[in-house]
Amino acid sequence: MSAEFTIPQAVVAPELAWIGWALLLPLLSAALCAVCAAARLPGKLPAFITVLALAASFVIVVRAYNAYTGPVQVPIFEWMSFAWGDGRFQQFTAPCALYIDSLTLFWMLFVTGLGTLIALYASEYMETEKGAGYARFFFGISIFLFAMGSLVMGDNLVMLYLGWEGVGLASYLLIGFDYQRPAAVAAAKKAFIMNRIGDLGLALGIFMLWANYGTLQYSQLFQAMNAGGQTVVDWDISLIPFLLMLGAFGKSAQFPLFTWLPDAMEGPTPVSALIHAATMVTAGVFLIARMYPFFALHPDALATVAWIGGGTALLAATIGMAQYDIKRVFAYSTISQLGYMFLGLGVGTTFGACYHTFTHAFFKALLFLTAGAIMHGFAGQLDLRKLSGLRHIPGWRLVSWTMFIGCLWLAAFPYTAAFFSKDAILLKALTSSRWDFVFLGWMGLFTAALTAYYTFRVWFRVCCGPVHFEPAADGHHGDAAHDAHDAHDAHNAHGHGNPPKAKAAHGFHPHAPKWAISTVLFLLAVGTIAAGFPAYNEAFAHGVNWAQQMIAGSSAAAGAQVVAHAAEGSGDHHTVLGMEAHTGLLVVGATASIGGILVAAWLHLMSRASADALRRALMGNVFTRWLPVCMERKWFFDEIYHGLFRLPLWLGSQVLHFGDKHFLDGVLVDGIARIPIAAGKLFRPLYGGALQGYAVSMVAGVALVLAWMAWVWLRGFE
C-alpha cells in the first residue's frame, strides 16, 4: 500500500480486557436462557436477561469508543498455538483476543444498539411463546449477538470464521424457530445449506492467506500489506480476493447466492430485523472492508464486486416491485441495498458502503418491526392487498408514521441519511475514470427510482386509503390476534374513513401494539433520523463526517475518500450531466426518488384501479406478459436452481441408493451371506434328530472318503 493509505498498526493493550465483556455478556445471556428453558420457567425472565446483557454490551462499546485513541490488540487468553519447526510457515497461532480499531467500533455500535432494541421489541412480540419456546428464542438471539461480536471484534481470521459460522447456526435456529411448520424448516435448511457454499470459499481464502503470509492475525497481515505485500503475484495469491468475496456474497445474499434471504421471512419478525439490519447480512460488507487491502491482489477483484453488487441491486429491485407480502418486499429491498454496498466497495468507496450499511441498519430495522407490529395485530396478515387505511385506525398511527419515516429513508428522499450514504456510492461510480463504473452508477440511479416506487407502493397501499383489513388465514406463531384486551381498539376505527368491508366486521378486531413495541418503533425512528447527522455536519456545517473518519482510521482507509475531498478542493472537478458532480447528482438523485414516489402515489393511492388495469394490460399482451410473470415469480431463480442442482442431485442420490440397495447390499453383502445360509438349509434335514438322517450322513461320508482314496490310488498309475 502507499504511504497515503498506510494501515495504523495496533499496539497490545491488556489493560483494556474489560472490553471483552461486550463479547462475554451475550454468551452469559445464552447460558442463562438455556437454564430457563430447561427449567421451563414462566414469564419474561429470558427477555429481561437478554435485553440487560445486550444493553450492557452496548454501554461497554460506547465506553470503548470514548476511550479510543488508536488500534489495539486486547489479549484474552491463549487458545490455538502449534509449532512444528522454527520457520515462518512452521507455526500456527490464533489467540482468543480482540482487535479494536475504528471499523470495529463503528460496526459494534449499531450491532449492540439495534440488537438491544430488537430484543426489547421481541419481549412483547413473542409473548405468546412463554415457557420453553420463549427462552429458546432468546437463547438464539443471544447466540446471534455473541457470534456477530466474535466476527467483528476477533483479533484474527479464525475468530472471524467461527463467528461467521456462529451467525449461520443462529440463523438456522431462529428461522426454523417454529419447527412444526414445514415452510419454516425448509427455509432454515435452505439458508444453512446455501451459506455453506460461501463459507467454503471463505475457508479456502483463509487457508491461502496463511499459506502465503504465515499468519492469520490482522496486525501481522496488515503489516505485511504496509510493507508492499507479496512481490510476485502467482495464481493462488490472486485467487484470495475471489474466495473472500464468495464468502461475502453468500452471507450477504448477493447473486447468485441470494435466494435464501427472502425465504428467511418464515422466521419471527424480530429475527428478520436482526438478520437484515444488525447482524448476518452485514457480515459480508464487513469482511470486504476489513480485508480491503487484499483485494488489490488481483486487478479485476474490485470490479467483480462492483458488477455483482450493481446487478444484484437491480435484480432484487425488479422482484420487490411485484411482491405482495410486505416482509418479502422489504427482504428484496435488503438484497438490493446490500447490492449498493458492494457496488460502493467495488468502485472504491468503503466510506459510502460502510455508511450506507449504518444508515440502512436503522431504517430497515424500523421497517421490519413496523411490519411485525402489523402482523402481530392483524393475525399474521401481511398481504398488502388485504390491508388499507391503517393510519386512520386508533392505536396504529405510530406504526403508520414510523413506517413512513422508514420508507422515506429507504427511498433515499432528498436530504435523508440514506440519500447521502447512497449518493456517496453513486458519486464515486459516476465520476470514475472507468466507463463500466459510470454505467453502474446510472444503473444504480435507475434502481433508486424503482426502490422509491416499490417502497411507497407498500405504504400507500397499507397505511393510506379507505380502512380495510382481513385476518390471515393461518395466523402466525408470534401473534396474539385474539387477545380480548385489545379487541375493541379497532372497533372504533369503523367511524374513520370508509367503513371496513364485511370480512373485517365479522368478529375480528386487530389489537394495537403495547408499550414495548411502540417504544422501540419510536426510538428507531429517532435513530433513523439521527443516522444522518454525520452527513448533515459535513454538508451544512462544513464539519467532519464522523463515519468517514471512522472508516479512514481502519484497514479500509484506501476507500475512505478523504484524499478525494482534498483533490476536489485543488480544482480536480468532475461533472454529472454537465453540472458540478455533487449538484448534478443531487438533481438526478432527487428526481429518481421523488419520481418513484409520485408514480407509486398515482398507482396505489389516487387511482388504485390504474395499477390493476396496468397489470391486466401487461398480462393480456403476449409480448409483455413475460415481464409481470417473471417479476412475480422471482425470475424463476428457484426453479432454475432446482433444475440445475436439486433435481440432478436428487436423481443421483436415487441412482446411488438403488445401487447400494440392490448391488452392494443385495448382491455383494447379502448375496455372499446367503451362500452359507443355503448350504445350511441343504444339510439341515440330515441333522434333524432322525436315525435314518444320521445313517445317510455316515454312508455319504464313508463314500466320499473311499472315493477320494480311489482317486489318489488311480493317480499313482499315471
Side-chain angles (χ1 to χ4, degrees):
M1 294 183 65
S2 65
E4 191 174 43
F5 296 118
T6 299
I7 304 169
Q9 286 299 290
V11 298
V12 180
E15 67 276 7
L16 298 178
W18 53 268
I19 300 178
W21 281 99
L23 194 59
L24 182 61
L25 284 170
L27 184 61
L28 180 61
S29 170
L32 293 176
C33 288
V35 172
C36 293
R40 295 185 177 274
L41 295 178
K44 294 186 176 182
L45 181 60
F48 295 149
I49 292 171
T50 304
V51 172
L52 183 62
L54 298 183
S57 293
F58 174 69
V59 171
I60 291 169
V61 172
V62 171
R63 183 186 172 193
Y65 168 75
N66 291 330
Y68 180 75
T69 56
V72 295
Q73 291 176 270
V74 182
I76 304 299
F77 62 85
E78 290 298 322
W79 190 20
M80 298 183 185
S81 183
F82 309 103
W84 50 95
D86 297 328
R88 181 182 178 189
F89 295 94
Q90 294 179 315
Q91 51 187 330
F92 178 83
T93 303
C96 182
L98 308 180
Y99 184 85
I100 307 298
D101 70 345
S102 53
L103 183 65
T104 303
L105 295 172
F106 182 80
W107 232 264
M108 287 302 293
L109 282 170
F110 70 80
V111 166
T112 55
L114 291 177
T116 302
L117 292 177
I118 292 170
L120 177 60
Y121 176 100
S123 66
E124 177 182 332
Y125 188 88
M126 300 299 296
E127 61 188 1
T128 57
E129 296 286 347
K130 289 180 183 177
Y134 196 76
R136 178 165 58 88
F137 177 84
F138 284 97
F139 169 83
I141 293 290
S142 300
I143 290 294
F144 221 142
L145 271 298
F146 167 71
M148 191 66 188
S150 299
L151 189 158
V152 174
M153 300 176 70
D155 170 64
N156 51 76
L157 286 167
V158 174
M159 289 189 68
L160 178 141
Y161 187 76
L162 292 176
W164 194 271
E165 294 299 320
V167 295
L169 171 63
S171 68
Y172 173 77
L173 295 174
L174 291 171
I175 294 170
F177 175 80
D178 190 2
Y179 54 83
Q180 296 178 339
R181 293 172 55 240
V185 174
K189 290 191 293 184
K190 184 176 182 179
F192 191 81
I193 293 171
M194 187 165 282
N195 269 273
R196 299 288 71 74
I197 301 171
D199 294 356
L200 176 61
L202 177 59
L204 292 174
I206 291 174
F207 173 79
M208 286 193 171
L209 281 166
W210 181 84
N212 283 278
Y213 295 95
T215 182
L216 294 178
Q217 293 184 264
Y218 292 135
S219 57
Q220 296 175 21
L221 288 171
F222 296 153
Q223 186 176 5
M225 294 307 291
N226 283 339
Q230 296 283 342
T231 56
V232 179
V233 177
D234 52 25
W235 72 270
D236 59 342
I237 199 170
S238 63
L239 193 60
I240 288 174
F242 293 97
L243 292 171
L244 295 179
M245 75 174 72
L246 178 60
F249 293 159
K251 198 65 71 181
S252 293
Q254 295 296 284
F255 178 85
L257 304 175
F258 70 97
T259 59
W260 67 269
L261 189 56
D263 288 3
M265 298 303 96
E266 294 293 338
T269 302
V271 176
S272 303
L274 200 61
I275 290 175
H276 287 251
T279 55
M280 189 167 175
V281 298
T282 69
V285 182
F286 176 82
L287 174 66
I288 295 182
R290 171 60 77 206
M291 304 300 292
Y292 201 69
F294 294 89
F295 281 77
L297 295 175
H298 193 286
D300 296 324
L302 286 176
T304 303
V305 173
W307 272 97
I308 292 292
T312 305
L314 178 59
L315 174 67
T318 60
I319 299 174
M321 292 173 63
Q323 301 304 301
Y324 297 103
D325 184 293
I326 301 173
K327 282 176 63 176
R328 287 188 179 271
V329 173
F330 293 154
Y332 280 106
S333 79
T334 297
I335 298 172
S336 183
Q337 297 305 304
L338 287 166
Y340 275 107
M341 299 168 204
F342 282 97
L343 172 62
L345 291 169
V347 299
T349 170
T350 52
F351 154 65
C354 294
Y355 187 39
H356 196 54
T357 304
F358 182 78
T359 60
H360 174 266
F362 284 92
F363 67 72
K364 187 50 61 69
L366 178 61
L367 287 172
F368 267 109
L369 296 185
T370 53
I374 295 170
M375 191 176 191
H376 189 259
F378 286 86
Q381 184 61 266
L382 280 177
D383 191 327
L384 55 83
R385 296 168 295 185
K386 299 179 180 179
L387 294 168
S388 180
L390 262 64
R391 66 188 182 94
H392 301 300
I393 303 176
W396 290 95
R397 294 188 179 94
L398 176 65
V399 174
S400 299
W401 290 112
T402 52
M403 178 182 278
F404 177 74
I405 292 174
C407 288
L408 276 180
W409 264 244
L410 176 55
F413 193 78
Y415 298 106
T416 61
F419 177 80
F420 286 104
S421 60
K422 186 180 290 186
D423 278 14
I425 297 170
L426 297 178
L427 179 67
K428 185 68 174 179
L430 291 171
T431 58
S432 174
S433 59
R434 295 183 51 149
W435 71 267
D436 57 333
F437 286 0
V438 175
F439 174 79
L440 286 173
W442 287 109
M443 192 167 75
L445 279 166
F446 176 67
T447 304
L450 300 184
T451 303
Y453 166 77
Y454 70 70
T455 300
F456 274 88
R457 168 177 175 255
V458 172
W459 194 77
F460 288 138
R461 283 277 178 178
V462 174
C463 297
C464 300
V467 175
H468 168 66
F469 51 84
E470 300 175 17
D474 55 354
H476 184 259
H477 64 77
D479 294 323
H482 303 293
D483 286 357
H485 61 276
D486 288 323
H488 295 287
D489 287 350
H491 183 74
N492 295 328
H494 295 186
H496 297 266
N498 294 339
K501 293 184 180 179
K503 191 169 183 179
H506 285 296
F508 173 75
H509 301 287
H511 68 93
K514 293 183 286 189
W515 74 270
I517 290 179
S518 299
T519 300
V520 170
L521 294 181
F522 175 77
L523 292 176
L524 281 175
V526 173
T528 298
I529 297 171
F533 286 173
Y536 301 151
N537 187 49
E538 178 186 18
F540 303 122
H542 304 290
V544 175
N545 187 308
W546 165 79
Q548 188 175 41
Q549 293 299 314
M550 293 287 281
I551 306 306
S554 72
S555 57
Q561 293 180 272
V562 174
V563 175
H565 285 302
E568 289 168 11
S570 63
D572 184 14
H573 293 289
H574 299 279
T575 61
V576 173
L577 295 181
M579 295 176 280
E580 191 273 329
H582 288 89
T583 303
L585 186 58
L586 173 64
V587 172
V588 295
T591 301
S593 176
I594 297 173
I597 294 173
L598 290 177
V599 172
W602 172 254
L603 293 178
H604 302 287
L605 178 62
M606 292 180 284
S607 180
R608 291 181 175 179
S610 299
D612 299 331
L614 176 61
R615 186 180 184 279
R616 285 194 301 270
L618 291 173
M619 292 291 289
N621 190 315
V622 68
F623 297 106
T624 59
R625 177 183 173 82
W626 64 272
L627 183 60
V629 170
C630 289
M631 291 167 62
E632 291 176 8
R633 296 294 298 273
K634 299 163 285 187
W635 296 101
F636 295 95
F637 272 98
D638 284 326
E639 290 80 2
I640 292 171
Y641 290 168
H642 179 81
L644 291 179
F645 303 108
R646 290 185 62 189
L647 184 59
L649 288 172
W650 181 85
L651 290 174
S653 69
Q654 295 303 310
V655 172
L656 293 174
H657 173 70
F658 181 86
D660 178 70
K661 180 179 180 181
H662 296 284
F663 180 73
L664 294 178
D665 287 343
V667 176
L668 296 181
V669 178
D670 293 342
I672 294 173
R674 288 190 183 100
I675 295 174
I677 294 174
K681 289 181 178 180
L682 179 64
F683 290 102
R684 186 192 306 170
L686 302 178
Y687 301 98
L691 180 61
Q692 60 270 28
Y694 292 112
V696 172
S697 299
M698 291 174 63
V699 171
V702 171
L704 287 172
V705 171
L706 291 175
W708 177 75
M709 290 176 65
W711 180 69
V712 173
W713 179 67
L714 290 173
R715 288 186 61 186
F717 290 100
E718 293 179 0

